[in-house]
Structure formats: structure tokens, C-alpha cells
Amino acid sequence: MYDLEEQKIVEEIKKIKAKRILIQLPEGLKKEANRLVGYIEKNTNAKLFISGESCWGGCDLPLEEAKKIKADLIVHFGHAPFFNPNFPALYIETKYKTDITKLAESSLEYLKNFDNIGLVSSVQHIHQLDNVKIILENNNKKVIIPEAKGRAFYKGHILGCEYSGSKLMEKNVDCFLVLGNKFHSMGLALSVDKKVIVIDPINEEIHDLDSDKKKITLRRLKLIEKAREANIFGIIVGMKSGQQNFSVAENIKNKLLKNGREAYILTMNNVTNDQLINFYNIEIFVNTSCPRISIEDIDRFEKPVITYTELLIALDELKFDRDKNNIIIAPYGVK
Ligand code: SF4
């Protein structure tokens, strides 16, 4: 059901005369690797290598691996361009090919109390935005698609850490409709003070995220309370190619020192409980790598791992509004 654009890859390899290619697939598409390699090797003279490391976002290009194997092109599947890697990279966005007309029509029941709808999508379904917009407009809804801001590559595009376009137009809508999955839409729900409904074309489901958002927010508030009382902080800087937020980490360290706390900057590729647990003296971690690790992996961590925004709330530099109930995921953005 995904468009892997094999012909486009072959044309690009021939165009730039690439000889050694590193392909990188997200976890759910790794099963396609051998078929893709077979197709590309049959249609070009290039040698193919498959990155076996985990890959969760466009922030995670395997630049070091590519240099070590002397690759002259990375083919990255599953995401839009996220940062300038200064290395030849072809992004295959893996559009999901299905007709979502029926799901869009069913979503009208969830939207019946709202007139002004903010419409956004993850990159896999971005080509469906105009179709869904027409369906909503034909049912007397006013639809606004936000501009591409921050790391968003397209109008209406959201990522797990990028919702600034939606936040900018939030005051003009009553509700958001997302084409995507619970991961992307929950990030939006935690970033805005409006109801968020998600159409999930892959599982053919529609969800209202209100109750999950409330549960997550309560758990985040408990971590913020722990941060208020903690004295020794570890500040995590992710070493993945698009996540190296050193200036944010140094800024956090200065804030903590000014507030009379101890703070240490830790670098790591993957942020896991096994990596953190040996730093027994550290009471709490502030994560400047992928902000969703703090939220999604909460049950895997034995010690609290909070986001930058949550730290600002703990230090009383940012006010958490209990009525609005929204925690902004990554106001600093990732590189
Ligand atoms: S930082 Fe996290 S949410 Fe953002 S693109 Fe990377 S993996 Fe996705």
C-alpha cells in the first residue's frame, strides 16, 4: 500500500552516477529491504548497503555509517527532508495509497459541533489533504490548513515534534482533524488547547484524543513536581544527526546552575533506561533529543525524563495553564 518510488530511485542513482548506496528504512518498512535492494541492483550498477540501525524520523540520517562505507548516496524512506545533512540524500516519503473518502465522511459525526476545522497530516497522507478539505467544505465546514513552519516540509504537514504551524492558527479554529496515527495526533493534542480528532487511514479508525491527552498530561505534571524538588540533573543531548541540541543543553545547564542545582550534560545515541540507570547520582533527566522519547517511553524509564518545556514549568519560567491543559512538546525545535 506504500509508494516506495523504485523507478525514481533508479533514475536518481543513474543521474548522479552513484556507485555505493546506503538505504535506510523505518522499522515497519525494513521487511521491504531485500526486495528494494534486488530491484535497484538489477536496474543499476550500484552496490547497495542496508542500515540495520533503528530509524524513527528524518532527524536520524545515518551520516556516519554512510561515510564509513564510502557511500555516495543515502536513500531514506518514510519521512520528508528534515535538515540539511550536507550529504547527498534522497527522501522517499512512502505515501500511503488508499482512498480515504469514506473515513473522511465518517469523521463528520465527530466534527458535528464544530464549524472551523484545522486540517493537518503526517507526510504519508499529505496528498489526501485537498480531497478531505473538499469533503468537509461540502458539508458546510470552514477548513484551514496551516502554513509549513519550522521543520514541516509541506503546508499542513505535522511531525512528532513540530506543530508550530498549527499553534499559529489555533485561535482561528474550533477543532483539529489529523490524517495520520495516534503518535502524530497526540503530539498535536499535547501542543494545542483544542479538541483533536484523528483519521487513521492505515488502521481504518477514527479517534477523539481527549481522554488519552488528560491521562498523559496528569502523568507529565507529576514529573514536573519531581523536577521542582530535584537537585542533580542530567541533560541529555542526542547524537543522532538531526538532534544535536548543544546550545539548548548549555542554556538549560546555565538555568539550573543559576537556580542552585547541579547539572551535567550527557551525550548519547539512543536514550534508554539501560543508558541512564548507571548514572545513579542523577535524580532527573532533561531530554533535548527527540522530545517524544520522554513522553512515549515513560514506562520504560526508572527515573523521570522530562522535556525542556517541562523543565521551564518546574523552574517557574513558563506557566502551565491547568484550564488549557496543554504541554508544548518542542518549542525549541530540533536541529
Ligand atoms: S525528533 Fe523525534 S519526533 Fe522529531 S522527527 Fe525525529 S524521531 Fe520524529
Short mmCIF file of all heavy atoms in Angstrom, two decimals, residues 56-59 82 159-161 183 243 289-292 334, ligand 1:
data_model
loop_
_atom_site.label_atom_id
_atom_site.label_comp_id
_atom_site.label_asym_id
_atom_site.label_seq_id
_atom_site.Cartn_x
_atom_site.Cartn_y
_atom_site.Cartn_z
N TRP A 56 13.68 6.35 13.38
CA TRP A 56 12.34 6.80 13.77
C TRP A 56 11.94 8.11 13.11
O TRP A 56 10.79 8.52 13.21
CB TRP A 56 12.26 6.97 15.30
CG TRP A 56 12.62 5.72 16.02
CD1 TRP A 56 13.79 5.46 16.69
CD2 TRP A 56 11.84 4.51 16.12
NE1 TRP A 56 13.77 4.19 17.20
CE2 TRP A 56 12.59 3.59 16.88
CE3 TRP A 56 10.58 4.13 15.65
CZ2 TRP A 56 12.13 2.30 17.17
CZ3 TRP A 56 10.12 2.85 15.95
CH2 TRP A 56 10.88 1.96 16.70
N GLY A 57 12.88 8.80 12.46
CA GLY A 57 12.49 10.10 11.89
C GLY A 57 13.49 10.59 10.88
O GLY A 57 14.59 10.04 10.72
N GLY A 58 13.12 11.68 10.19
CA GLY A 58 14.03 12.31 9.23
C GLY A 58 15.21 12.96 9.93
O GLY A 58 16.18 13.38 9.28
N CYS A 59 15.16 13.06 11.27
CA CYS A 59 16.26 13.62 12.07
C CYS A 59 17.42 12.64 12.18
O CYS A 59 18.45 12.98 12.74
CB CYS A 59 15.75 13.92 13.48
SG CYS A 59 15.11 12.43 14.26
N PHE A 82 14.32 16.91 6.64
CA PHE A 82 14.17 17.47 7.99
C PHE A 82 15.24 18.51 8.29
O PHE A 82 15.01 19.47 9.00
CB PHE A 82 14.27 16.30 8.97
CG PHE A 82 14.07 16.65 10.41
CD1 PHE A 82 12.80 16.70 10.95
CD2 PHE A 82 15.15 16.91 11.24
CE1 PHE A 82 12.61 17.00 12.29
CE2 PHE A 82 14.97 17.22 12.58
CZ PHE A 82 13.68 17.26 13.10
N LEU A 159 4.87 16.76 12.25
CA LEU A 159 5.80 15.69 12.63
C LEU A 159 5.56 15.43 14.11
O LEU A 159 4.86 16.19 14.77
CB LEU A 159 7.25 16.14 12.43
CG LEU A 159 7.73 16.40 11.01
CD1 LEU A 159 7.45 17.81 10.59
CD2 LEU A 159 9.22 16.14 10.93
N GLY A 160 6.23 14.41 14.63
CA GLY A 160 6.06 14.10 16.05
C GLY A 160 6.59 15.19 16.96
O GLY A 160 6.33 15.19 18.17
N CYS A 161 7.38 16.13 16.41
CA CYS A 161 7.96 17.20 17.23
C CYS A 161 7.72 18.57 16.62
O CYS A 161 8.41 19.52 17.00
CB CYS A 161 9.46 16.96 17.38
SG CYS A 161 10.28 16.84 15.78
N PHE A 183 0.33 8.66 17.23
CA PHE A 183 1.59 9.29 17.61
C PHE A 183 1.62 10.76 17.17
O PHE A 183 1.84 11.66 17.98
CB PHE A 183 2.75 8.51 16.98
CG PHE A 183 4.10 9.15 17.19
CD1 PHE A 183 4.76 9.02 18.40
CD2 PHE A 183 4.71 9.88 16.18
CE1 PHE A 183 6.00 9.61 18.60
CE2 PHE A 183 5.96 10.47 16.36
CZ PHE A 183 6.59 10.33 17.58
N GLN A 243 19.60 15.79 15.77
CA GLN A 243 19.08 16.02 17.13
C GLN A 243 20.10 16.65 18.06
O GLN A 243 19.94 16.59 19.27
CB GLN A 243 18.65 14.68 17.74
CG GLN A 243 17.47 14.03 17.08
CD GLN A 243 17.04 12.76 17.81
OE1 GLN A 243 17.53 12.44 18.88
NE2 GLN A 243 16.12 12.04 17.21
N SER A 289 16.99 15.55 23.10
CA SER A 289 16.97 14.84 21.81
C SER A 289 15.52 14.75 21.36
O SER A 289 14.76 15.70 21.55
CB SER A 289 17.64 13.46 21.96
OG SER A 289 16.83 12.61 22.72
N CYS A 290 15.08 13.65 20.78
CA CYS A 290 13.68 13.56 20.35
C CYS A 290 12.76 13.75 21.56
O CYS A 290 12.80 12.95 22.50
CB CYS A 290 13.43 12.20 19.72
SG CYS A 290 11.67 11.93 19.42
N PRO A 291 11.92 14.79 21.57
CA PRO A 291 11.08 15.04 22.76
C PRO A 291 10.07 13.94 23.02
O PRO A 291 9.60 13.77 24.13
CB PRO A 291 10.39 16.37 22.42
CG PRO A 291 10.43 16.47 20.93
CD PRO A 291 11.67 15.76 20.49
N ARG A 292 9.76 13.16 21.98
CA ARG A 292 8.74 12.13 22.16
C ARG A 292 9.25 10.93 22.98
O ARG A 292 8.45 10.17 23.52
CB ARG A 292 8.20 11.67 20.80
CG ARG A 292 7.54 12.79 20.01
CD ARG A 292 6.39 13.45 20.78
NE ARG A 292 5.27 12.58 20.98
CZ ARG A 292 4.26 12.43 20.13
NH1 ARG A 292 4.25 13.13 19.01
NH2 ARG A 292 3.27 11.62 20.39
N VAL A 334 14.13 20.94 16.94
CA VAL A 334 15.35 20.14 16.91
C VAL A 334 16.11 20.56 15.66
O VAL A 334 15.55 21.10 14.74
CB VAL A 334 15.02 18.63 16.90
CG1 VAL A 334 14.70 18.14 18.27
CG2 VAL A 334 13.88 18.34 15.95
S1 SF4 B 1 12.95 14.31 16.78
FE1 SF4 B 1 11.55 12.60 17.21
S2 SF4 B 1 9.55 13.30 16.61
FE2 SF4 B 1 11.04 14.68 15.64
S3 SF4 B 1 11.43 13.81 13.62
FE3 SF4 B 1 12.96 12.94 14.99
S4 SF4 B 1 12.08 10.99 15.72
FE4 SF4 B 1 10.40 12.23 14.85
#
